[in-house]
Amino acid sequence: MSDHDYTPKSKVGKWFNDRLPLLTLANHLTDYPTPKNLNYWWTFGGILTFCLITQIVTGLTLAMHYIAHADMAFESVEHIMRDVNYGWLIRYIHANGASMFFLAVYIHIFRSLFYGSYKSPREIIWIIGIIIYLLMMAAAFMGYVLPWGQMSFWGATVITNLFSAIPLVGEGIVTWLWGGYSVDNPTLTRFFTLHYLIPFLILGLVVLHIWALHVPGNNNPVGIDIKKPSKDTVPFHPYIVIKDGFALLMFMIVFAFFVFYTPNILGHADNYIEADPLVTPAHIVPEWYLLPFYAILRSVPDKLLGVVAMLSAILILAALPWLDTSKIRSAVFRPLYKQFYWILVADVLILGYVGAMPAEGLYLLIARVATAYYFIHFLVILPVLGFKEKTIPVPLSITEPVLGGSVNFATAKNKESTIDK
Amino acid sequence: MSEKKTNRRDFLFTATYAVGAVGVGATIWPMIDQMNPDASVKALASTEVDVSLVDPGKTITVLWRGKPVFIRRRTQDEIAEARAVKLDDLKDPQKDEDRAKDPEWLVMLGVCTHLGCVPLDQKGDYNGWFCPCHGSHYDISGRIRKGPAPTNMEIPKYEFVNANTIKIG
């Protein structure tokens, strides 16, 4: 990278930069050589940063009006909705913002899966991403508890009880998490504290995520290593900034649609009933973004093994760079992997669907098959595929297929002869 | 340096690490233990309930330590049904006699042992309780019969203070 030679033009700039090289950093970020073929699936990193900032800003303002106490939390949320100036808007942005955050993160994760962005040398970026994803789930879960509605209370009860599956110490851990013998005020206050803390942990990890990204540079749709800077790259500013900005605008239209037209469609009506420790709602379902894992939990008839399966489903992703034995990154050049990829996408969507349905009869059977397939994909198909699959030859550079008209030199020659005729 | 001799400095390092570890542990423990139930929560450990108005075949629910407790006055048929069950049929074998000292009164935590929901009264395949969250069925003695819950519903410590009053806790 060329930014080592950077010197600010102004005298003051030079004076400052010699003492704290912030301008060097800014220069690195502007000039940062980016593959010129990045498509719109690559814009979700920027969109996710926007989501995080949105959640932090709206969260801060909500915290100015919210009261973390079991007797007052529910009313304070209604107070925000009815009395606080624009309180309804800020809360709806925050609540729907969580869903938008997960929508974006799932697209971001599945983009990595398709283009093999998790492979060497980008394993650390990927693992930091998984940690961010886990923290996001924790933050979303605890945030959902804060309004102290029926779903908040019973969601908190069910999720914290997952720890009781641990042999011997399980019950002790649950009591410790609760600060009592059931979910109650001590639970609410600590969840509020942690819900406030986690976004800043995520922010720190995002910095590491981007730092780790800037060492090898972006992967790209062709999935090959490129020279930087070269004919294959463009500077981050203005090319990627403008593209990210346009995608963000489109994303914000979807976001605004939810906030202004269907602000409650992703929530549950039961959460507008204040928490009652004596009555469990008839159907307890988590938010949509946790449904696939919920389906995995329920598909295993044993309590401990169900919890183990659910956690493994997430943690297995961290081992992905080593489970996928193929040297080729992009699915574009992996005809078999491409098919298995789409089967996995369908599998996860099916898990999400059955997670929302009652765990009985046909739904349960489907959930079990889909759960089994999920693990088979990562533990059997991916490792084997790397050895068995006949991949399509990859181009030597991003520019080559564009100029040659084909990814492969031999076919490129054929094309030329057809054109000659 | 193929062979390393233990010298005075190694001893000092080890001693420093050991004392340091104890110090870190002693500092961290209060930070962890502050999350455990505090004195005010523990103080609410027992509740007295007047059960004189409960008719046979009815259940009342009272709150004890933030959790629901079911107190059911069972009919003779229900007692007979609960006592007739073979232990071999049970996932968590327990005699009804051990669960209800006075056969007429079943006092138990109304908390599903799966993930902590409150089961519904007089529902399910065994005329007992049914948990709506993940479909566990309990019999009229509160024993798990079908579904993901691993154990029977828990019996808290309780006693009859007099003929009409039960003290839980």
Side-chain angles (χ1 to χ4, degrees):
Chain A
M1 274 169 245
S2 59
D3 34 68
H4 299 291
D5 335 316
Y6 173 77
T7 13
K9 285 192 188 80
S10 77
K11 244 186 156 178
V12 180
K14 195 179 173 317
W15 178 86
F16 184 86
N17 205 50
D18 285 345
R19 281 149 184 84
L20 179 67
L22 269 187
L23 293 170
T24 304
L25 178 67
N27 175 258
H28 162 77
L29 293 176
T30 350
D31 285 355
Y32 173 63
T34 322
K36 66 180 180 185
N37 60 341
L38 293 190
N39 56 32
Y40 275 106
W41 301 114
W42 258 266
T43 59
F44 282 86
I47 287 170
L48 282 161
T49 313
F50 164 81
C51 288
L52 178 62
I53 303 297
T54 305
Q55 291 307 87
I56 289 178
V57 172
T58 53
L60 274 173
T61 42
L62 286 173
M64 294 179 188
H65 304 279
Y66 171 78
I67 302 166
H69 189 283
D71 295 338
M72 286 177 274
F74 187 81
E75 264 180 59
S76 76
V77 172
E78 284 309 301
H79 162 73
I80 289 169
M81 294 300 289
R82 292 154 199 252
D83 304 337
V84 175
N85 301 331
Y86 294 105
W88 60 273
L89 178 65
I90 299 170
R91 177 166 175 260
Y92 278 154
I93 293 174
H94 196 71
N96 285 285
S99 280
M100 293 300 117
F101 207 154
F102 276 96
L103 175 68
V105 93
Y106 282 128
I107 295 174
H108 195 61
I109 290 171
F110 275 98
R111 189 268 288 151
S112 283
L113 292 181
F114 188 85
Y115 293 110
S117 302
Y118 49 84
K119 289 185 199 185
S120 172
R122 297 184 180 83
E123 301 96 322
I124 299 291
I125 313 173
W126 172 255
I127 289 169
I128 293 171
I130 300 295
I131 299 170
I132 293 175
Y133 175 50
L134 282 169
L135 285 176
M136 276 174 65
M137 288 198 279
F141 158 66
M142 291 191 210
Y144 196 60
V145 174
L146 302 185
W148 211 240
Q150 273 288 66
M151 279 295 174
S152 303
F153 183 89
W154 291 101
T157 301
V158 168
I159 301 294
T160 48
N161 259 307
L162 292 177
F163 291 91
S164 72
I166 304 167
L168 301 175
V169 291
E171 294 293 336
I173 289 176
V174 174
T175 307
W176 178 72
L177 288 172
W178 287 341
Y181 304 104
S182 63
V183 172
D184 211 330
N185 194 50
T187 326
L188 177 60
T189 49
R190 67 190 54 176
F191 276 21
F192 179 56
T193 313
L194 294 173
H195 181 71
Y196 209 122
L197 166 73
I198 291 174
F200 296 97
L201 297 180
I202 294 178
L203 191 63
L205 285 165
V206 166
V207 171
L208 294 184
H209 195 63
I210 296 172
W211 186 1
L213 169 71
H214 280 232
V215 175
N218 291 67
N219 183 29
N220 63 77
V222 183
I224 52 166
D225 293 322
I226 50 168
K227 265 200 226 135
K228 288 165 299 238
S230 71
K231 254 172 39 177
D232 281 348
T233 65
V234 289
F236 187 78
H237 183 75
Y239 296 94
I240 304 297
V241 169
I242 274 299
K243 189 163 186 160
D244 276 0
F246 179 70
L248 178 59
L249 217 58
M250 293 296 118
F251 184 79
M252 282 160 87
I253 291 173
V254 178
F255 197 145
F257 173 81
F258 280 103
V259 170
F260 291 105
Y261 292 94
T262 59
N264 287 307
I265 200 169
L266 298 169
H268 300 286
D270 272 317
N271 221 28
Y272 283 102
I273 302 169
E274 193 170 359
D276 181 352
L278 292 181
V279 182
T280 306
H283 295 285
I284 293 205
V285 236
E287 294 289 84
W288 68 268
Y289 40 80
L290 301 176
L291 286 172
F293 300 110
Y294 193 60
I296 292 174
L297 167 77
R298 295 194 306 180
S299 70
V300 183
D302 183 82
K303 182 172 166 179
L304 176 61
L305 292 180
V307 175
V308 169
M310 185 180 70
L311 288 176
S312 316
I314 304 168
L315 295 179
I316 203 170
L317 293 173
L320 185 57
W322 296 275
L323 288 173
D324 185 345
T325 49
S326 176
K327 291 277 186 293
I328 307 296
R329 292 197 191 98
S330 175
V332 172
F333 306 103
R334 299 182 62 189
L336 278 176
Y337 173 72
K338 199 195 258 178
Q339 292 173 34
F340 284 116
Y341 170 85
W342 288 112
I343 296 172
L344 179 73
V345 173
D347 188 63
V348 172
L349 290 175
I350 289 168
L351 278 172
Y353 174 73
V354 293
M357 295 295 132
E360 53 197 28
L362 188 61
Y363 292 126
L364 190 59
L365 182 70
I366 295 171
R368 285 184 177 158
V369 173
T371 298
Y373 184 79
Y374 181 90
F375 286 103
I376 289 170
H377 175 90
F378 289 107
L379 293 175
V380 181
I381 295 173
L382 284 188
V384 173
L385 212 54
F387 299 107
K388 298 277 176 200
E389 187 177 31
K390 200 175 175 306
T391 55
I392 299 168
V394 294
L396 294 171
S397 75
I398 291 170
T399 314
E400 186 201 44
V402 181
L403 295 181
S406 172
V407 293
N408 172 307
F409 188 67
T411 34
K413 277 253 157 132
N414 285 339
K415 270 257 170 79
E416 272 166 30
S417 52
T418 7
I419 291 162
D420 288 343
K421 282 173 197 169
Chain B
M1 285 257 285
S2 57
E3 226 166 281
K4 223 180 136 199
K5 268 193 181 167
T6 314
N7 56 28
R8 237 159 62 106
R9 183 148 293 191
D10 292 320
F11 170 77
L12 285 172
F13 277 141
T14 311
T16 312
Y17 294 145
V19 174
V22 170
V24 168
T27 316
I28 285 177
W29 177 245
M31 300 296 157
I32 294 172
D33 192 45
Q34 55 83 21
M35 280 174 68
N36 272 318
D38 61 35
S40 73
V41 171
K42 283 182 188 157
L44 300 172
S46 71
T47 305
E48 291 197 4
V49 189
D50 179 7
V51 292
S52 57
L53 294 173
V54 183
D55 293 327
K58 292 278 180 236
T59 306
I60 60 164
T61 307
V62 294
L63 207 57
W64 172 66
R65 287 176 160 187
K67 281 179 179 166
V69 174
F70 294 152
I71 302 177
R72 183 170 182 83
R73 187 167 185 181
R74 299 190 294 186
T75 62
Q76 290 307 317
D77 290 350
E78 288 172 350
I79 297 168
E81 187 189 326
R83 307 234 146 160
V85 175
K86 277 190 230 136
L87 284 187
D88 294 346
D89 296 342
L90 297 172
K91 188 172 174 184
D92 177 17
Q94 207 177 10
K95 279 189 204 160
D96 185 61
E97 285 85 341
D98 296 335
R99 293 178 59 79
K101 278 165 256 168
D102 177 349
E104 203 181 359
W105 294 97
L106 177 66
V107 180
M108 66 180 176
L109 281 185
V111 176
C112 180
T113 55
H114 182 225
L115 294 173
C117 297
V118 178
L120 302 169
D121 196 30
Q122 297 298 286
K123 289 263 170 66
D125 298 352
Y126 295 88
N127 294 323
W129 285 266
F130 171 71
C131 182
C133 291
H134 307 96
S136 291
H137 298 254
Y138 296 88
D139 66 14
I140 196 62
S141 186
R143 292 174 295 200
I144 180 66
R145 302 300 291 271
K146 193 176 143 190
T151 57
N152 304 331
M153 279 195 267
E154 201 184 319
I155 305 289
K157 209 180 120 206
Y158 69 91
E159 58 184 6
F160 277 87
V161 181
N162 55 50
N164 289 330
T165 313
I166 297 177
K167 184 182 163 203
I168 307 167

